Every structure is written in structure tokens, then in C-alpha cells.
Amino acid sequence: MIKVLIAEQSYLIRKGLTHVLNQFNEISQIEVLSSHMGLNEVVEHLSPDILIINSTILNENDKCSFSNKIKNDIKIIHLINTILPSESPNNQISIYDTKIKITDKLSPLIKDLSKELVDEEGSEELTQREQLILKHVALGLTNKEIASKLYISSHTVISHRKNITRKLKIKSVSGLTVYAILNGIIKMSDIS
Amino acid sequence: MRIHSNMKMADLVEVNFEILEVIQRLQIPFGFKDKTIDKVCKENNIEVLFFLQLAQWFIERENFPQEELMQGHPNLLITYLHNTHKCYLEHQIPRIEQEIKNLEKETELPGESVQLMIKFFKEYINEFTDHLKDEEEITFPYIQALEKANRGELALSDFNKKYKNYSIDKYLANHSNLEEKIVDLQSILLKYMPPPVNNCKFTNLLLEIYRLGKDLKDHTLLEENVLIPKVRHMEIQLKK
């Protein structure tokens, strides 16, 4: 499911935008922020799929530290306080745009994102490879150690771990250890 | 609905009993009789506006009053966060711990699973305690000193000497994510534990954990969106 963060100063516009976004069943969570303050922390913490941000907020925020961190993972939609030409790109929304126009601009993005996510979320079952990685994580090995043991890159280990966490909804090493023991992947005696 | 300062404090609790948490965390004693919010706050040295904003947020969750809360005195925010911690650590968490222990007696869960959960939760308590200690001993005194330095009550040279290498970004770097393990705990209990026989006890345990998780989310929101930006602002002011 898709997570959206709205960063916009105006209460009325936040409300209106939330109303438009609520039309999409694919969106599971909408969080709002009324200024640039705390933006970096919230982005990091929430890791939204889409960030809809007023262009004046983006200017106030320390651009460099922010854009580098999120450039790859988050789709940014710019909310602009003036009227835009009719051929404006889909990642720019004017506060004067009609509901239909906003919906049309957001639709393709949301459809694409949800397709990606469905593919990923398709299976909850861990693959054999993931089980193996999980076993080593539960035994207390670091990503680096697992990588060298299985002759793969640390990057691959990290990507497996991301998938494990997404499938199980368990993130911490100790949580994963509990899971591994409950499911007989390792034994209680292996860790003590 | 809009809460106003002439409303009676007792009536406010009737509107939404979760506001009891705000009252407790700001250390407002009960026994309101017919006193208004304004009177109760003034008697307890609490900025009325700050209280109203927090209470309003509790009944209107989708509108977080970030800027309004930032106007409040930092000590109020610290009092609020401190007492929230204290309540978690002295009350909510030990109760959850006890209920996990009870699972062994009162359900037919295999002993090993329960031991595992206890171990997991003990670790969590330690992390929680460390987080709290860090805030109480370093971060909160730092914010209070910063506030005094800004008002001229503490000499700038003294402040700089004591906090030469500290800033709120240091705190953020160590800011462990206390919500994360609660989500793990929810997943394990809900999805992966063998189902217990005594459903009522188990459900209550889950409810308590979900409640703590929701509370922690609010707590993070206050820290990330109010406390930290406010302190950053104070740091910039001091440098001017």
C-alpha cells in the first residue's frame, strides 16, 4: 500500500488534498506536515512513497541534505502557489488545479507505484535464500559476515533483509531471532 | 468541536477521556470541582494555550498543531515528555511484562516460546531505559541550559564550556527507534505465535501493546516535529 506525506502550510489546502487522495484505494496512509520543520526526520521515519510538497517549503528546507537522501526512493510532487500552464508536467500541481486535473496528474503515478508494490507484496512466504539469510541474522552475524560466508555482496544481503522485513513485518535482529526460533529455523540452544 | 478556556476541566474529560493522559503528563492534580480549564492551568503554572492545543489535538487527531506547540515554553514540553516516559516505564511496560509472564501459566503456549518473548521484552526494556536515561541526563538539561542562555540567565561562556561539543543533532543520532520493536512484537504475537487457549488474556495483552505502540507514535511526533525544531531554532538564536 502507498504512503503519502503532504507538506503544505495552508490548512485548507492540506484538507482539500487529503480529500482528493482519499479517492485512491491504493493509498493506505496520509500524513501531513505544516512547515519545513521536522521534515527530514519525518521523511526518514515514515519513508513515504510519495511526497507532495509546497515549493516554498522545499526552498526553506536545506535542499542538499534532503534531496540526496530521498532522491532515489521517493516520488516528489511539487505543489505550486500559482496557476500553471496546461501542459505542465505531472509532478507539478497548482493549488488552483481542479479536482479532475489533480486526479489525472496523480493517477498514473499511483497506478504505477501500486503495481510495483503488488509485485513485491505478492508473496509473504520467505524464499529459501531468504530463510538462509534470516538464519544467519538470527545467529547474530553482521551483513558483512553473511556476505562473505555466502559469497554475495553486502548490497545483496541488505536487499534480502529488506524483503524479509517487509514480508514478516519484523525489523529488529532480536525480533527476527524470535521468529527464527518459533519456526524452527534455529534452535534456542544455538543462540545461548 | 473547539475547546475553549472557559470550559470546565471536568467537562473536557467527558468530551474525550483520553485527555486524562494530557492532564497526568502535565502533572495537573485531579479534584477539579467546577473550575475552568483557564483556572486549573493558571493554578498549576501551565500556559493555557499550550494545554488547549494539546487537548484539541487529542480530539482532532488529523490536525497536529505544530507551530502552536512550538510557541510553548520548552520546560512544558519537557515536563510532558518526561512524564510520558515515566508512565511507560513505571506502569505500562511492567504490566505488559507481567502479562507476558502470565501467558506461561494461563495458556498452553509451549514454555520455550514464552521464555523467548520474555527475553525479547527484557531487551526492549533495557533499550527503553537507556533512551530515557539519555534524555533525562543529557538532552533535557541541555535544552534547559540553552533556554537559560538565550534569556541571559546563564552566561554564554559557561554554556559554551559545558556544551562545547553537543547539539540536538547528537541526540538525533542516538535516538533509537522505540516504536520498531513494538511493531515486531505485534507481528510475532499476532501472526507467528502458536494460538493460546485463553483468548481473552491474550487479546488484552495485544490491545495493551497496540495502545503502547500508538502512544509511542504520538511521542515521536512531539519529539521530531516540535521539540527538535524548537531546539534547533534556539540554537540558531544563541549563535546570533
Side-chain angles (χ1 to χ4, degrees):
Chain A
M1 291 302 241
I2 298 173
K3 284 190 276 188
V4 183
L5 175 65
I6 301 173
E8 157 64 45
Q9 301 94 325
S10 156
Y11 170 76
L12 292 175
I13 293 173
R14 285 200 302 273
K15 279 273 143 171
L17 205 52
T18 307
H19 176 75
V20 176
L21 291 172
N22 274 331
Q23 301 177 103
F24 293 97
N25 292 328
E26 295 91 340
I27 296 175
S28 62
Q29 194 183 358
I30 304 170
E31 297 288 336
V32 296
L33 205 57
S34 57
S35 74
H36 69 288
M37 291 174 293
L39 180 61
N40 289 320
E41 286 76 29
V42 176
V43 164
E44 186 137 323
H45 178 225
L46 178 73
S47 59
D49 302 295
I50 302 174
L51 169 66
I52 304 181
I53 185 166
N54 191 296
S55 51
T56 58
I57 293 186
L58 200 56
N59 288 337
E60 271 183 84
N61 195 58
D62 185 84
K63 259 189 191 166
C64 311
S65 73
F66 180 61
S67 54
N68 280 338
K69 210 182 305 174
I70 65 162
K71 221 172 4 193
N72 301 324
D73 294 337
I74 302 175
K75 299 273 179 287
I76 299 182
I77 308 275
H78 301 274
L79 200 56
I80 293 163
N81 290 346
T82 55
I83 294 174
L84 289 169
S86 56
E87 66 273 18
S88 62
N90 276 358
N91 66 349
Q92 293 177 6
I93 292 175
S94 157
I95 59 166
Y96 298 103
D97 278 347
T98 60
K99 186 177 174 188
I100 291 176
K101 181 129 197 177
I102 297 173
T103 310
D104 283 351
K105 282 183 176 175
L106 291 175
S107 261
L109 174 64
I110 289 171
K111 293 278 171 301
D112 277 357
L113 270 176
S114 73
K115 225 184 273 160
E116 267 174 46
L117 290 172
V118 165
D119 286 347
E120 275 184 20
E121 281 168 9
S123 163
E124 293 273 302
E125 202 91 358
L126 294 186
T127 63
Q128 275 193 333
R129 199 65 176 164
E130 284 162 356
Q131 286 216 15
L132 187 62
I133 305 268
L134 173 65
K135 184 178 169 182
H136 290 304
V137 172
L139 289 173
L141 270 67
T142 64
N143 289 344
K144 237 181 171 170
E145 287 166 338
I146 298 171
S148 70
K149 203 163 184 169
L150 301 179
Y151 307 106
I152 51 178
S153 72
S154 298
H155 186 79
T156 312
V157 178
I158 292 169
S159 120
H160 279 305
R161 284 193 63 168
K162 267 193 190 155
N163 287 332
I164 293 170
T165 294
R166 187 180 42 73
K167 286 181 180 175
L168 302 181
K169 296 214 166 48
I170 303 175
K171 200 169 180 184
S172 66
V173 173
S174 41
L176 290 170
T177 308
V178 174
Y179 174 86
I181 295 174
L182 284 176
N183 288 279
I185 296 171
I186 61 169
K187 287 202 199 71
M188 190 88 155
S189 53
D190 291 340
I191 50 163
S192 46
Chain B
M1 78 175 273
R2 206 70 211 159
I3 300 168
H4 56 86
S5 59
N6 288 328
M7 207 170 154
K8 285 177 188 153
M9 189 62 107
D11 288 347
L12 177 62
V13 178
E14 295 288 316
V15 172
N16 182 340
F17 60 80
E18 283 188 44
I19 287 171
L20 284 170
E21 284 175 349
V22 180
I23 294 172
Q24 183 269 326
R25 287 164 188 175
L26 290 172
Q27 300 279 281
I28 300 173
F30 292 109
F32 303 130
K33 301 206 177 68
D34 274 337
K35 287 179 205 161
T36 62
I37 294 176
D38 187 66
K39 190 149 195 272
V40 174
C41 284
K42 279 183 182 146
E43 280 177 3
N44 293 287
N45 277 326
I46 287 158
E47 290 168 15
V48 183
L49 209 63
F50 184 82
F51 179 85
L52 288 176
Q53 295 299 340
L54 270 180
Q56 189 71 47
W57 173 46
F58 265 65
I59 59 170
E60 193 190 355
R61 302 304 293 209
E62 68 278 14
N63 195 29
F64 182 64
Q66 184 189 27
E67 276 162 53
E68 291 84 351
L69 289 176
M70 277 177 67
Q71 309 286 322
H73 195 284
N75 279 349
L76 267 180
L77 201 58
I78 289 176
T79 305
Y80 187 89
L81 294 171
H82 166 81
N83 286 309
T84 313
H85 277 156
K86 220 172 140 208
C87 201
Y88 291 157
L89 209 58
E90 289 176 3
H91 194 64
Q92 267 164 287
I93 291 182
R95 205 172 52 211
I96 293 175
E97 190 185 15
Q98 191 54 49
E99 283 180 32
I100 293 178
K101 283 183 184 159
N102 288 348
L103 279 183
E104 194 169 9
K105 278 182 270 162
E106 289 158 13
T107 64
E108 286 175 14
L109 284 175
E112 199 185 45
S113 316
V114 178
Q115 287 309 317
L116 259 178
M117 294 311 301
I118 293 174
K119 189 168 165 287
F120 177 82
F121 205 67
K122 278 243 156 70
E123 256 181 58
Y124 180 68
I125 294 174
N126 288 341
E127 259 172 54
F128 209 108
T129 314
D130 286 348
H131 172 91
L132 182 117
K133 223 173 124 193
D134 189 57
E135 288 190 348
E136 305 281 310
E137 289 175 6
I138 302 166
T139 317
F140 291 168
Y142 165 74
I143 296 169
Q144 279 160 334
L146 181 65
E147 200 266 332
K148 279 191 182 149
N150 257 325
R151 269 193 298 141
E153 281 179 22
L154 178 71
L156 197 59
S157 53
D158 287 345
F159 176 82
N160 285 337
K161 209 163 88 191
K162 192 158 180 205
Y163 292 107
K164 211 168 101 195
N165 294 315
Y166 194 81
S167 78
I168 199 68
D169 290 321
K170 278 255 160 62
Y171 160 74
L172 259 181
N174 302 324
H175 189 70
S176 70
N177 192 348
L178 294 172
E179 283 167 63
E180 196 177 289
K181 279 207 170 158
I182 281 292
V183 175
D184 289 358
L185 196 57
Q186 286 166 2
S187 303
I188 293 169
L189 288 174
L190 187 69
K191 293 165 72 182
Y192 305 115
M193 277 290 244
V197 174
N198 188 334
N199 242 320
C200 178
K201 283 252 153 85
F202 193 73
T203 308
N204 270 318
L205 170 61
L206 266 178
L207 281 172
E208 291 239 22
I209 293 171
Y210 273 95
R211 218 171 279 145
L212 179 64
K214 178 179 160 280
D215 248 20
L216 281 172
K217 210 177 148 201
D218 283 354
H219 190 77
T220 312
L221 193 67
L222 281 172
E223 286 183 346
E224 288 183 347
N225 293 7
V226 183
L227 187 72
I228 291 164
K230 187 174 175 81
V231 174
R232 278 218 183 103
H233 185 69
M234 284 158 68
E235 283 172 346
I236 293 168
Q237 264 189 331
L238 193 67
K239 279 193 190 123
K240 273 182 190 163

